[in-house]
Amino acid sequence: KAATIITVPEEDTQANPVAEKSFFKVYPNPTTGMFTLELSHEDLAGNVKVEVYRMQGEKVLNTSYSAERKHLFSLGGKPAGCYFIRVICGDKAGTMKIIMQ
C-alpha cells in the first residue's frame, strides 16, 4: 500500500507545536499497556474526552471522564506498536503518540 502524503499549508506551520501538547502528558511512554493521562492544570479537570487510535486509523478506545486531573487507562489485549491518543478538554485539543511494547 502506498504511503499517504499530507501537505500542511504554510500558515499552519507557524503555530507553536509545544502549545498543542502542553495541557496534558502521558506516562509511562513507552507503555506495556497501562498508562496515566495527566492534565497540566487543575482547572482543566472538567469533561475530558479521550480517543486512542492505531497507526492504521482504527479507533481502539473512546471514553470520557470528568473531575479528575489524572486518569489511568489500559490498552491491555491490544497489539504492540504505535498509537495516537487524542485528548479534548473544553476548548483545547491535542494529540500525542504513545508506544505500546
Side-chain angles (χ1 to χ4, degrees):
K1 187 173 180 180
T4 303
I5 299 174
I6 301 171
T7 50
V8 178
E10 181 75 29
E11 62 272 9
D12 289 350
T13 62
Q14 301 304 315
N16 181 354
V18 175
E20 180 184 348
K21 295 189 232 177
S22 64
F23 77 97
F24 73 96
K25 62 183 176 180
V26 175
Y27 57 88
N29 190 9
T31 179
T32 55
M34 300 292 286
F35 64 91
T36 300
L37 183 146
E38 181 178 345
L39 300 175
S40 60
H41 300 291
E42 195 67 45
D43 61 331
L44 291 176
N47 289 326
V48 180
K49 181 176 181 181
V50 179
E51 301 169 339
V52 177
Y53 296 88
R54 294 187 62 198
M55 287 291 288
Q56 298 82 1
E58 173 193 357
K59 189 185 293 187
V60 296
L61 180 76
N62 184 16
T63 189
S64 297
Y65 67 91
S66 62
E68 293 180 49
R69 188 164 172 233
K70 292 182 183 180
H71 195 82
L72 184 65
F73 290 92
S74 173
L75 290 178
K78 304 292 184 231
C82 294
Y83 291 80
F84 290 98
I85 181 168
R86 178 153 172 81
V87 180
I88 303 165
C89 183
D91 63 348
K92 298 184 181 299
T95 304
M96 185 177 293
K97 183 168 76 171
I98 57 176
I99 307 295
M100 170 93 151
Q101 296 181 323

